């Protein structure tokens, strides 16, 4: 777990009247492979900070890497937002896909209060999601991990303390046919956000599996962001 577990890249120009989107790629996906989605945001006038994360977070079968990854990404987002605020930027949101969605689930609220709106492109139980991926499950079983032990190791991440989310607007994009993170698993994770005061909804996208669910959400990115972003008068 030495060194950075992520890479970050900036797209577009930050400005006082431009919203900044924190964009975190799906698991095992470099920024280059989702550049098409980033370009869609840029064409709509957004400024994008994009993150890709190491595949070792799961392939090493060491559950302590995930909290360290989240901690590192969170700290980097905080520092970049502080810089942007000093330059006059005031509007911040996010778009996270798959693992990126889960990382951002652990960034909202008390952790990074500036993130007032955003899109979780798929969501649910991170341990069960990993367990549904046969190759990763086999690696973890070989290291002595079971699904209950993995859920216990990640319990604090699965149920973060959001603090208050009053005025925040979020949407989960998902599909009934997502075989890794099905839409039916999302509802129980909406409840803590709703109790904290957030406006949260779920939108179904047409798909035939997890990968196509993520892609469908990426293609609908600007549309989903428009749903949750509080448009400010210029």
């Amino acid at each position: 777990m030495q060194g950075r577990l992520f890479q970050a890249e900036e797209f577009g120009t930050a400005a006082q009247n431009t919203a900044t989107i924190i964009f975190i790629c799906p698991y095992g996906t470099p920024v280059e492979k989702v550049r098409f989605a980033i370009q869609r945001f840029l064409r709509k006038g957004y400024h994008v900070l994009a993150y890709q994360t190491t595949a070792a977070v799961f392939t090493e079968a060491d559950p302590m890497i995930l909290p360290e990854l989240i901690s590192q990404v969170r700290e980097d987002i905080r520092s970049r937002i502080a810089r942007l605020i000093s330059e006059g930027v005031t509007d911040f949101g996010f778009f996270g896909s798959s693992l990126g969605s889960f990382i951002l689930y652990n960034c909202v609220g008390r952790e990074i209060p500036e993130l007032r709106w955003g899109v979780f492109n798929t969501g649910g139980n991170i341990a069960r999601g990993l367990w549904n991926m046969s190759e990763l499950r086999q690696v973890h079983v070989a290291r002595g991990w079971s699904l209950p032990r993995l859920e216990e190791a990640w319990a604090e991440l699965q149920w973060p303390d959001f603090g208050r989310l009053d005025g925040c607007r979020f949407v989960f994009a998902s599909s009934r046919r997502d075989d890794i993170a099905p839409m039916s698993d999302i509802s129980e994770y909406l409840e803590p956000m709703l109790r904290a005061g957030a406006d949260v909804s779920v939108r179904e996208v047409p798909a035939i599996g997890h990968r196509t669910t993520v892609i469908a959400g990426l293609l609908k990115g600007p549309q989903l962001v428009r749903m949750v972003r509080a448009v400010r008068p210029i």
Side-chain angles (χ1 to χ4, degrees):
M1 296 196 311
Q2 297 300 313
R4 282 195 169 187
L5 300 173
F6 68 91
Q7 295 178 41
E9 193 170 348
E10 189 168 355
F11 297 88
T13 303
Q16 291 184 10
N17 61 348
T18 299
T20 292
I21 294 177
I22 308 301
F23 180 101
I24 305 186
C25 296
Y27 167 69
T29 304
V31 167
E32 187 59 36
K33 282 196 174 181
V34 290
R35 191 177 288 266
F36 71 93
I38 294 171
Q39 289 296 331
R40 293 170 77 86
F41 286 122
L42 296 178
R43 286 196 292 270
K44 294 296 183 180
Y46 295 104
H47 169 237
V48 177
L49 294 175
Y51 290 79
Q52 67 182 62
T53 58
T54 177
V57 63
F58 293 149
T59 57
E60 291 296 311
D62 177 358
M64 293 303 100
I65 296 179
L66 180 58
E68 178 61 23
L69 169 63
I70 290 173
S71 177
Q72 288 188 18
V73 171
R74 212 157 42 195
E75 197 56 41
D76 192 77
I77 293 172
R78 287 190 190 112
S79 65
R80 290 174 187 269
I81 285 179
R83 172 179 60 82
L84 289 167
I85 288 175
S86 73
E87 297 171 0
V89 179
T90 59
D91 194 0
F92 300 93
F94 64 84
F95 190 101
S97 299
S98 191
L99 173 61
S101 174
F102 187 75
I103 293 172
L104 284 161
Y105 189 73
N106 281 269
C107 289
V108 298
R110 68 169 72 249
E111 293 292 350
I112 307 179
E114 292 85 0
L115 298 178
R116 307 291 296 166
W117 50 266
V119 177
F120 299 103
N121 188 20
T122 75
N125 185 298
I126 190 71
R128 287 181 216 157
L130 181 149
W131 217 251
N132 286 333
M133 302 172 73
S134 59
E135 290 186 11
L136 293 177
R137 180 176 67 246
Q138 290 169 14
V139 171
H140 282 74
V141 168
R143 298 283 181 89
W145 290 95
S146 64
L147 177 55
R149 286 191 63 210
L150 207 54
E151 288 184 311
E152 182 180 1
W154 290 336
E156 289 188 13
L157 301 175
Q158 192 66 59
W159 302 103
D161 179 3
F162 297 114
R164 294 306 303 170
L165 294 173
D166 300 274
C168 293
R169 300 184 66 192
F170 308 127
V171 64
F172 283 81
S174 189
S175 167
R176 301 167 198 259
R177 302 182 69 182
D178 188 330
D179 53 340
I180 303 299
M183 190 166 69
S184 58
D185 285 358
I186 292 176
S187 58
E188 64 182 303
Y189 303 107
L190 296 184
E191 290 305 318
M193 304 187 103
L194 291 169
R195 287 196 302 270
D199 177 351
V200 193
S201 60
V202 180
R203 291 292 181 271
E204 184 172 6
V205 296
I208 57 172
H210 183 66
R211 183 171 179 273
T212 55
T213 300
V214 170
I215 292 172
L218 287 167
L219 290 171
K220 288 180 174 290
Q223 177 185 336
L224 293 166
V225 163
R226 190 166 60 248
M227 289 173 53
V228 295
R229 183 183 170 218
V231 179
R232 302 182 178 192
I234 298 175

